[in-house]
Amino acid sequence: MTGHGNVFFTDAEVKNLRKYLESGGFLHADDNYGLDKYIRREMKKVFPESKLVELPFTHPIYHQKYDFPNGLPKIHEHDGKPPQGFGIFYKGRLVFFYTYECDLGDGWENPAVHHDPWSLREKALQMGANIISYVFDHP
């Protein structure tokens, strides 16, 4: 999921999302500028007992087929902050991966939308492939 602003989960959506994630599901959210405070609030509803923690650069999600030794690639610039990857773990399994100040989604869109160079688009696609690979390799 991605977005620029407010996201709100109803009580039924919170219950369904938690059940999905506890049952082996995975959710990736990409902050496309402005989503941060809302996604943090909503995921706290889903897992009130869990903290959203920053993943270290050594986490396997950064080292699947493509190696990102410094964590997430920076695809689009907003506030000059470094990209960060956060996660929520359930019973030791990463169930929620939140990419902040990175804008992977911008690199996945039509090139005419953001005019990002191919080198950045390729990094976004590679990181996306890493996320998918990680999910299937770490059930």
Side-chain angles (χ1 to χ4, degrees):
M1 69 180 287
T2 188
H4 283 278
N6 198 0
V7 61
F8 178 81
F9 299 154
T10 65
D11 290 343
E13 290 168 335
V14 167
K15 183 179 177 182
N16 287 339
L17 181 54
R18 180 164 181 134
K19 184 176 181 181
Y20 165 74
L21 295 172
E22 287 178 346
S23 301
F26 181 85
L27 176 63
H28 169 232
D30 185 50
D31 176 34
N32 202 359
Y33 201 65
L35 184 69
D36 188 57
K37 68 181 179 181
Y38 304 108
I39 194 65
R40 289 174 184 269
R41 176 193 68 206
E42 296 308 294
M43 290 308 294
K44 192 66 177 166
K45 291 180 186 176
V46 179
F47 285 101
E49 75 284 3
S50 300
K51 291 186 186 244
L52 189 62
V53 296
E54 187 168 5
L55 300 183
F57 295 162
T58 56
H59 191 275
I61 205 162
Y62 301 124
H63 307 282
Q64 296 296 296
K65 174 159 177 61
Y66 302 100
D67 192 38
F68 288 90
N70 299 315
L72 292 167
K74 182 79 166 177
I75 306 303
H76 194 79
E77 189 66 48
H78 288 295
D79 293 329
K81 296 177 185 175
Q84 294 175 281
F86 297 93
I88 292 177
F89 291 84
Y90 175 75
K91 294 187 177 179
R93 184 176 64 85
L94 181 65
V95 297
F96 175 62
F97 183 50
Y98 172 48
T99 50
Y100 174 66
E101 284 290 326
C102 172
D103 286 325
L104 289 175
D106 285 0
W108 301 339
E109 291 182 39
N110 185 306
V113 175
H114 297 287
H115 308 285
D116 291 320
W118 170 246
S119 61
L120 287 181
R121 293 178 50 72
E122 184 175 37
K123 287 179 184 177
L125 291 167
Q126 289 172 340
M127 189 62 221
N130 273 12
I131 294 168
I132 292 169
S133 175
Y134 177 82
V135 170
F136 286 112
D137 288 346
H138 297 84

